[in-house]
Amino acid sequence: AGEPAVAEPQPIRDIMRYGRGLRGTYLGPACAFSRTDPNVLVLDACRYRLRDGEWSEEMEVWRAQQAVREALGMRPVFYNGLPQRYGWALEPHPADGAPLTLRFSFAVDMMPAGTVYLLVEGAPWFSLRLNGRPVPTEVVGHYLDRAFHRVPLPALREGENVLELQCAYTNYMELEDCFLLGDFGVTRDRRLTREPALLHFGDWTSQGYPHYAGGMIYHGGLEYDPAEGPVRVFLGEYEAVDVAVHVNGAVVGHIPWAAANGLDITPHLRTGHNDVGIEVVSSPRNMLGPLHLATGREPWTDWRSFRRTDETFTPHDVLKAWGLFGQVRFGRG
């Protein structure tokens, strides 16, 4: 969805209070930053209308599909069971498909910069309407999975926006959550807003990126004098699946776990000013879910984790924290 947002790197002395000290130079607690991926808004609740019936109340997409399949006399499609899916899923039932419309609503506080894309599995199945106007189902690449198709949307509007997906629903189809991709921030109540100018150390899910599934590069500067000896990178507390260190635009090493702290970057430094970036890489957990599991992380994840109807369900997002939480130090040891 266009180029990732990039804020101008700033010298460390301009973005932190600690500066150069006896043990080295520090980065944080607020940094210019850039994303490696588009930001994400999850659309996992909708209203549905089957044939020419009434609109349903708003519910999770999986609940809507369950109601539709029950109304059409279909077996559940989200688990194999007996007989297994391959034995019946391609049977034409109903023969021409049942007209089905899903209606998603989302709010825009600040207009996004650039094109916003709908990410939908099986885009050719659907005809689209945004705020009552037809949208061409033009697939422009994919994201995360080749079946997750990107479809450019026309300009959104401030306030409420309504997106409708219409299809001829048949036995083999499985409806999934949809997503918006683009250059925008997301509030904790899922409204599109402006991205922050700086990223503060701490959980980025509360800073405009609750569903973000890529990496964040925290930017800073480092003055290097070879006479002062080698320079190593030491991280404070963080949450990531991997941390990559950038020096002057190139990846020079990885810190894949906390015990691997102390990465030597001396061979990649030049005398004087150096641009340094700490890239924190997340997983798609906050995008693909489960997002409404009141218990949080459980030892085992399968279809049941996404389809809770008891006290372990919450309508609120339960998110995995990502980011740099403690100060980053450049020093000898």
Side-chain angles (χ1 to χ4, degrees):
E3 293 297 321
V6 177
E8 281 295 319
Q10 304 175 54
I12 288 181
R13 63 179 179 272
D14 292 340
I15 59 175
M16 45 75 70
R17 296 185 178 186
Y18 297 95
R20 184 177 295 275
L22 294 177
R23 299 184 60 204
T25 300
Y26 294 81
L27 175 65
C31 296
F33 72 101
S34 57
R35 291 182 277 103
T36 63
D37 288 50
N39 201 9
V40 179
L41 173 66
V42 173
L43 302 177
D44 61 357
C46 67
R47 300 178 185 273
Y48 76 88
R49 182 172 64 187
L50 185 60
R51 299 192 171 96
D52 294 323
E54 298 294 324
W55 286 104
S56 73
E57 63 182 18
E58 188 174 64
M59 64 185 70
E60 291 75 33
V61 172
W62 74 264
R63 295 179 193 264
Q65 175 163 250
Q66 178 174 284
V68 168
R69 295 187 75 87
E70 288 176 355
L72 296 174
M74 296 178 178
R75 296 185 178 93
V77 74
F78 53 84
Y79 69 96
N80 263 324
L82 291 174
Q84 294 191 351
R85 276 181 293 189
Y86 70 83
W88 56 264
L90 296 181
E91 294 176 3
H93 171 65
D96 298 321
L100 173 66
T101 305
L102 304 181
R103 174 179 286 176
F104 297 88
S105 298
F106 60 93
V108 175
D109 291 339
M110 301 291 294
M111 293 295 288
T115 302
V116 173
Y117 293 83
L118 172 67
L119 190 71
V120 57
E121 185 167 350
W125 288 343
F126 299 100
S127 59
L128 309 177
R129 298 179 72 86
L130 177 65
N131 297 324
R133 296 184 176 182
V135 176
T137 309
E138 175 192 0
V139 175
V140 182
H142 62 276
Y143 182 65
L144 289 187
D145 189 292
R146 292 185 183 278
F148 287 1
H149 299 132
R150 293 194 322 161
V151 177
L153 295 177
L156 308 180
R157 65 188 182 193
E158 290 191 5
E160 185 181 32
N161 289 256
V162 177
L163 179 67
E164 292 184 356
L165 283 69
Q166 187 173 33
C167 67
Y169 190 84
T170 190
N171 213 16
Y172 62 84
M173 294 178 68
E174 183 170 6
L175 303 176
E176 302 284 0
D177 297 343
C178 299
F179 311 89
L180 299 183
L181 303 181
D183 297 330
F184 47 71
V186 178
T187 67
R188 287 303 299 266
D189 59 351
R190 295 193 180 186
R191 302 173 70 91
L192 298 191
T193 187
R194 179 179 297 157
E195 294 192 75
L198 298 176
L199 195 64
H200 289 258
F201 282 12
D203 183 5
W204 72 46
T205 69
S206 62
Q207 299 182 63
Y209 305 97
H211 304 137
Y212 182 62
M216 291 286 195
I217 305 176
Y218 297 73
H219 295 289
L222 176 66
E223 299 297 325
Y224 174 61
D225 181 352
E228 296 180 356
V231 177
R232 304 180 75 86
V233 179
F234 299 90
L235 302 182
E237 183 183 357
Y238 66 89
E239 287 292 337
V241 296
D242 179 50
V243 177
V245 178
H246 301 240
V247 175
N248 298 320
V251 175
V252 301
H254 294 264
I255 303 175
W257 52 80
N261 256 326
L263 177 69
D264 186 1
I265 62 172
T266 312
H268 310 284
L269 297 174
R270 58 195 178 206
T271 301
H273 180 78
N274 294 265
D275 293 323
V276 179
I278 307 298
E279 180 182 351
V280 174
V281 182
S282 69
S283 79
R285 176 66 167 76
N286 291 338
M287 175 181 172
L288 302 182
L291 294 177
H292 302 288
L293 194 56
T295 57
R297 184 179 178 86
E298 293 185 338
W300 182 265
T301 299
D302 61 17
W303 62 266
R304 287 166 288 225
S305 306
F306 298 81
R307 292 170 169 80
R308 298 297 174 90
T309 57
D310 58 13
E311 69 279 359
T312 61
F313 169 81
T314 173
H316 305 290
D317 289 340
V318 179
L319 302 172
K320 161 71 177 170
W322 299 108
L324 294 175
F325 295 166
Q327 295 295 98
V328 176
R329 180 170 63 88
F330 304 97
R332 293 187 180 185

